[in-house]
Short mmCIF file of all heavy atoms in Angstrom, two decimals:
data_model
loop_
_atom_site.label_atom_id
_atom_site.label_comp_id
_atom_site.label_asym_id
_atom_site.label_seq_id
_atom_site.Cartn_x
_atom_site.Cartn_y
_atom_site.Cartn_z
N PRO P 25 78.63 -101.58 0.03
CA PRO P 25 79.52 -101.60 -1.13
C PRO P 25 80.12 -102.94 -1.55
O PRO P 25 80.46 -103.10 -2.70
CB PRO P 25 80.64 -100.63 -0.71
CG PRO P 25 80.66 -100.69 0.77
CD PRO P 25 79.24 -100.91 1.19
N GLU P 26 80.28 -103.88 -0.67
CA GLU P 26 80.98 -105.11 -1.06
C GLU P 26 80.14 -105.98 -1.99
O GLU P 26 78.93 -105.98 -1.93
CB GLU P 26 81.33 -105.93 0.19
CG GLU P 26 82.48 -105.38 0.99
CD GLU P 26 82.79 -106.27 2.17
OE1 GLU P 26 83.34 -107.37 1.95
OE2 GLU P 26 82.45 -105.89 3.30
N GLU P 27 80.85 -106.75 -2.82
CA GLU P 27 80.19 -107.60 -3.81
C GLU P 27 79.22 -108.59 -3.17
O GLU P 27 78.18 -108.92 -3.74
CB GLU P 27 81.24 -108.36 -4.63
CG GLU P 27 80.70 -108.90 -5.93
CD GLU P 27 81.78 -109.51 -6.80
OE1 GLU P 27 82.82 -108.85 -7.00
OE2 GLU P 27 81.57 -110.64 -7.26
N LYS P 28 79.54 -109.05 -1.97
CA LYS P 28 78.67 -110.03 -1.30
C LYS P 28 77.28 -109.48 -1.00
O LYS P 28 76.35 -110.23 -0.75
CB LYS P 28 79.32 -110.56 -0.02
CG LYS P 28 79.46 -109.53 1.10
CD LYS P 28 80.11 -110.17 2.32
CE LYS P 28 80.27 -109.15 3.43
NZ LYS P 28 80.93 -109.75 4.61
N TYR P 29 77.14 -108.15 -1.04
CA TYR P 29 75.83 -107.54 -0.77
C TYR P 29 75.01 -107.30 -2.05
O TYR P 29 73.86 -106.86 -1.97
CB TYR P 29 75.99 -106.21 -0.02
CG TYR P 29 76.60 -106.39 1.35
CD1 TYR P 29 77.88 -105.91 1.63
CD2 TYR P 29 75.90 -107.04 2.37
CE1 TYR P 29 78.44 -106.08 2.89
CE2 TYR P 29 76.46 -107.21 3.63
CZ TYR P 29 77.72 -106.73 3.88
OH TYR P 29 78.27 -106.91 5.12
N ASN P 30 75.60 -107.57 -3.20
CA ASN P 30 74.84 -107.44 -4.46
C ASN P 30 73.61 -108.34 -4.41
O ASN P 30 73.68 -109.46 -3.88
CB ASN P 30 75.70 -107.84 -5.67
CG ASN P 30 76.78 -106.81 -5.95
OD1 ASN P 30 76.81 -105.74 -5.35
ND2 ASN P 30 77.69 -107.14 -6.85
N ASN P 31 72.51 -107.86 -4.97
CA ASN P 31 71.26 -108.64 -5.03
C ASN P 31 70.71 -109.01 -3.66
O ASN P 31 70.08 -110.05 -3.50
CB ASN P 31 71.44 -109.90 -5.89
CG ASN P 31 71.87 -109.56 -7.28
OD1 ASN P 31 71.32 -108.65 -7.91
ND2 ASN P 31 72.89 -110.25 -7.78
N THR P 32 70.97 -108.16 -2.66
CA THR P 32 70.33 -108.33 -1.35
C THR P 32 69.27 -107.24 -1.22
O THR P 32 69.32 -106.21 -1.91
CB THR P 32 71.33 -108.22 -0.19
OG1 THR P 32 71.93 -106.91 -0.21
CG2 THR P 32 72.42 -109.28 -0.27
N PHE P 33 68.33 -107.48 -0.32
CA PHE P 33 67.24 -106.51 -0.13
C PHE P 33 67.76 -105.13 0.27
O PHE P 33 67.20 -104.11 -0.13
CB PHE P 33 66.26 -107.02 0.92
CG PHE P 33 65.38 -108.14 0.45
CD1 PHE P 33 65.54 -109.43 0.94
CD2 PHE P 33 64.39 -107.92 -0.49
CE1 PHE P 33 64.72 -110.47 0.51
CE2 PHE P 33 63.57 -108.94 -0.94
CZ PHE P 33 63.73 -110.23 -0.43
N HIS P 34 68.82 -105.11 1.07
CA HIS P 34 69.32 -103.83 1.58
C HIS P 34 70.00 -103.01 0.48
O HIS P 34 70.31 -101.84 0.69
CB HIS P 34 70.28 -104.07 2.73
CG HIS P 34 70.02 -103.21 3.93
ND1 HIS P 34 68.85 -102.51 4.15
CD2 HIS P 34 70.80 -102.94 5.03
CE1 HIS P 34 68.93 -101.86 5.29
NE2 HIS P 34 70.09 -102.09 5.84
N ASN P 35 70.26 -103.62 -0.69
CA ASN P 35 70.91 -102.89 -1.77
C ASN P 35 69.95 -102.45 -2.87
O ASN P 35 70.35 -102.07 -3.96
CB ASN P 35 72.06 -103.73 -2.37
CG ASN P 35 73.35 -103.50 -1.62
OD1 ASN P 35 73.34 -103.29 -0.41
ND2 ASN P 35 74.47 -103.54 -2.31
N VAL P 36 68.67 -102.46 -2.54
CA VAL P 36 67.64 -102.01 -3.48
C VAL P 36 67.90 -100.56 -3.91
O VAL P 36 67.70 -100.21 -5.07
CB VAL P 36 66.25 -102.20 -2.83
CG1 VAL P 36 65.20 -101.32 -3.47
CG2 VAL P 36 65.83 -103.66 -2.90
N GLY P 37 68.36 -99.73 -3.00
CA GLY P 37 68.65 -98.33 -3.35
C GLY P 37 69.76 -98.21 -4.39
O GLY P 37 69.67 -97.41 -5.32
N PHE P 38 70.80 -99.04 -4.25
CA PHE P 38 71.89 -99.07 -5.24
C PHE P 38 71.33 -99.51 -6.60
O PHE P 38 71.66 -98.93 -7.63
CB PHE P 38 72.98 -100.06 -4.82
CG PHE P 38 74.03 -99.51 -3.89
CD1 PHE P 38 73.89 -98.28 -3.27
CD2 PHE P 38 75.17 -100.25 -3.63
CE1 PHE P 38 74.87 -97.79 -2.40
CE2 PHE P 38 76.17 -99.78 -2.78
CZ PHE P 38 76.01 -98.55 -2.16
N ALA P 39 70.51 -100.56 -6.59
CA ALA P 39 69.96 -101.10 -7.84
C ALA P 39 69.08 -100.06 -8.55
O ALA P 39 69.14 -99.91 -9.77
CB ALA P 39 69.17 -102.37 -7.57
N ALA P 40 68.29 -99.33 -7.77
CA ALA P 40 67.43 -98.28 -8.35
C ALA P 40 68.28 -97.14 -8.91
O ALA P 40 67.99 -96.60 -9.98
CB ALA P 40 66.45 -97.76 -7.30
#
Side-chain angles (χ1 to χ4, degrees):
E26 285 182 73
E27 199 174 310
K28 67 180 179 181
Y29 296 111
N30 289 352
N31 302 314
T32 61
F33 286 110
H34 228 16
N35 272 34
V36 159
F38 274 11

